Amino acid sequence: MLTPYEPVRSLRSSGGTLVAVPKSRLKSKGDHAFAIRALLLWNDLPEEIMLADSVSSFKSLLKTHFYRLTFM
């Protein structure tokens, strides 16, 4: 289950689009598990992509984001 990230102090990242990443028991294998990596990747996305209005706009923004990361 996804739980929203709630910082202890008032931070710029307290907008509500981030999810809390659970701690893994094994550093060598646990941090590579899908449940951990997917949440870390989601938290690294720009907020514009997280707040997309529809699935098609999300996919388009995500594709553009990955293109810019790769070729620019």
Side-chain angles (χ1 to χ4, degrees):
M1 181 167 159
L2 299 176
T3 56
Y5 173 69
E6 297 175 11
V8 178
R9 291 173 271 149
S10 177
L11 302 172
R12 286 182 282 162
S13 62
S14 61
T17 56
L18 299 178
V19 290
V21 179
K23 300 287 182 192
S24 62
R25 292 181 301 146
L26 303 173
K27 284 294 175 194
S28 61
K29 295 180 184 174
D31 287 344
H32 297 291
F34 177 78
I36 303 293
R37 292 299 300 162
L39 297 177
L40 290 172
L41 289 171
W42 175 261
N43 286 342
D44 286 342
L45 288 176
E47 193 167 357
E48 174 190 12
I49 298 173
M50 291 184 204
L51 298 175
D53 294 335
S54 64
V55 174
S56 61
S57 65
F58 174 80
K59 289 165 66 173
S60 176
L61 289 168
L62 188 63
K63 185 177 178 180
T64 303
H65 174 69
F66 286 145
Y67 179 82
R68 287 184 181 150
L69 284 177
T70 304
F71 298 111
M72 293 185 172

